[in-house]
């Protein structure tokens, strides 16, 4: 969902630009990296965890 | 009939959550031996639920498009925009590319979801064996693109939070966006309640 939010921000900035100036700050880079990281994270397969921990039953 | 066997034919089924393979059971309260979540041979009431949610979504889709979703207020003017007029405005404001993306996410994707889910449900109810593999792909496609429709909801949320300069200029959300959000959530729930495995059940003809 984060990538949709990112795109939503972009559209919002463009729309707001018709009314006043919008200048990107440093945070936009951090948010960009965060988007990337979360996308990578959420594409991990949780089933892998069952394979890795197959031996240690609690 | 040279289709590969289904889990049911082999007496096997898998857990929805962790995909552990277990023996086939139709017991109501079976749980997965590995992760403890409930086991279902097929999603319960899949077709009924998917239809109900889809029809509800289609009904909400009308006010979502008719009512304005966002009000832009400044000293000199007051603009109420519907989904479509917002796209037209974005196109005119000089970003046709973004307007095309918003058009795809807000108009084309929900329409595709109605058509595809409707078709999948009808074909499953008629136990059709027609292009089963393509229908399975269609289902995966619907699941994949489903949440992109939230784009417009996010835009309205961000703008209303961002643009708040008292009387100078202001952006306010209008009821249309709530209806639209409900449409997106309902179509996603409908896609979730549909069990794609039904495509392979009770086929009259092979392939």
């Amino acid at each position: 969902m984060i990538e949709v939010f990112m795109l939503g921000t972009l559209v919002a900035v463009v729309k707001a630009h018709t009314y006043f100036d919008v200048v990107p700050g440093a945070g936009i880079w951090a948010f960009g990296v965060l988007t990337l990281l979360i996308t990578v994270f959420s594409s991990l397969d949780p089933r892998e965890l069952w394979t890795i921990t197959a031996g240690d039953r609690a | 009939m040279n289709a590969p066997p289904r889990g049911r034919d082999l007496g096997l089924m898998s857990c929805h959550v962790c995909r552990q393979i277990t023996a086939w059971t139709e017991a109501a309260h079976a749980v997965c031996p590995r992760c403890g979540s409930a086991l279902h041979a097929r999603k319960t009431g899949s077709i009924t639920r998917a239809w109900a949610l889809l029809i509800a979504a289609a009904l909400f889709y009308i006010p979502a498009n008719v009512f304005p979703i966002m009000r832009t207020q400044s000293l000199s003017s007051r603009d109420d925009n519907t989904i479509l007029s917002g796209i037209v405005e974005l196109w005119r404001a000089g970003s046709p590319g973004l307007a095309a993306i918003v058009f795809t996410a807000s108009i084309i994707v929900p329409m595709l979801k109605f058509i595809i889910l409707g078709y999948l449900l009808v074909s499953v109810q008629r136990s059709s064996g027609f292009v089963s593999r393509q229908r399975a792909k269609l289902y995966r496609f619907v699941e994949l693109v489903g949440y992109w429709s939230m784009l417009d909801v996010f835009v309205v949320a961000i703008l209303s939070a961002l643009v708040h300069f008292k009387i100078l200029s202001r952006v306010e959300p209008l009821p249309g966006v709530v209806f639209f959000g409900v449409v997106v959530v309902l179509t996603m729930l409908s896609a979730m309640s549909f069990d794609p495995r039904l495509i392979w059940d009770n086929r009259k003809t092979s392939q």
Side-chain angles (χ1 to χ4, degrees), chain B residues 133-147:
Chain B
R133 202 176 271 243
Q134 282 77 0
R135 281 189 284 137
K137 274 187 189 153
L138 272 182
Y139 177 74
R140 265 173 271 154
F141 172 75
V142 165
E143 285 233 297
L144 189 74
V145 298
Y147 64 94

Side-chain angles (χ1 to χ4, degrees), chain B residues 64-70 80-87:
Chain B
N65 276 287
V66 172
F67 289 154
I69 58 166
M70 191 170 80
D80 283 4
N81 271 322
T82 61
I83 291 175
L84 210 55
S85 71
I87 294 168

Side-chain angles (χ1 to χ4, degrees), chain B residues 4-135:
Chain B
R6 297 168 299 151
R8 174 182 278 171
D9 306 332
L10 302 173
L12 296 171
M13 60 194 257
S14 77
C15 168
H16 283 309
V17 180
C18 72
R19 304 290 168 186
Q20 166 77 27
I21 306 290
T22 57
W24 178 271
T25 169
E26 308 225 1
H29 297 291
V31 290
C32 170
R34 186 165 68 177
C35 70
S37 55
L39 285 177
H40 304 285
R42 293 289 182 266
K43 291 178 189 167
T44 37
S46 170
I47 292 179
T48 324
R49 282 185 200 178
W51 263 130
L53 291 162
L54 191 67
I55 291 168
L59 288 180
F60 276 115
Y61 193 57
I62 299 165
N65 276 287
V66 172
F67 289 154
I69 58 166
M70 191 170 80
R71 167 173 295 168
T72 320
Q73 199 157 17
S74 62
L75 273 180
S76 53
S77 66
R78 193 167 99 175
D79 254 355
D80 283 4
N81 271 322
T82 61
I83 291 175
L84 210 55
S85 71
I87 294 168
V88 171
E89 198 170 85
L90 190 60
W91 182 285
R92 289 224 186 96
S95 15
L98 276 181
I101 291 176
V102 178
F103 182 75
T104 311
S106 304
I107 310 274
I108 296 181
V109 168
M111 284 296 200
L112 272 181
K113 281 204 289 193
F114 291 138
I115 295 168
I116 293 177
L117 279 174
Y119 169 61
L120 288 177
L121 283 164
V122 169
S123 62
V124 160
Q125 277 178 315
R126 298 177 65 193
S127 332
S128 152
F130 182 63
V131 291
S132 303
R133 202 176 271 243
Q134 282 77 0
R135 281 189 284 137

